[in-house]
Amino acid sequence: MTTDMEHLLNVRLCERFGDVADWAEVTSLIAAHLRVVVSALGPEHAMTFLAAARRALDEEESRAGTIHLGFGGHLWTHLEDAAWSPSPLAGTAAWDAMLTMHRLSVLAPDPRLDVHVDSALDACRLRLVPAAAGF
């Protein structure tokens, strides 16, 4: 991950969760795994991956209390629908990091994983479409 991308991610996380020193332990752990996703995939592929993860989280929530595939199954389905092709190693690193983040969020559900993922998506968007683009 570039220093610029890491800075953007930290800024977005700080906007949502305050100063790094005040973060909940789960936020610190999830932030480290978000860095793995963005570093392994780069901002463009990370956006695709994180958007699929966000949809998987939404689907898991909407199906709570019913029989369903679970987060990993929903993520796989949403990634199959996405047009992306990271290297196998990068995809595996991102996959493992996301499943770890999900497990952490089950163990410590506050703050919610979707808020962390949204922060990372915002950082990737800013990296791909800088605010100084003249708009």
Side-chain angles (χ1 to χ4, degrees), residues 49-108:
F49 184 85
L50 292 166
R54 187 64 166 89
R55 288 190 302 276
L57 288 167
D58 291 343
E59 187 169 356
E60 180 184 43
E61 184 177 339
S62 74
R63 293 178 180 228
T66 67
I67 297 173
H68 63 92
L69 297 173
F71 176 74
H74 298 313
L75 178 58
W76 185 263
T77 300
H78 291 293
L79 286 172
E80 282 184 334
D81 295 339
W84 75 309
S85 57
S87 72
L89 183 59
T92 301
W95 177 265
D96 188 51
M98 185 54 67
L99 292 183
T100 300
M101 286 185 271
H102 184 265
R103 182 68 183 141
L104 287 167
S105 75
V106 169
L107 296 172

Side-chain angles (χ1 to χ4, degrees), residues 11-32:
V11 166
R12 288 297 173 237
L13 290 169
C14 286
E15 286 174 357
R16 297 257 170 107
F17 303 110
D19 187 52
V20 174
D22 299 328
W23 286 357
E25 182 180 15
V26 70
T27 296
S28 296
L29 294 168
I30 287 175

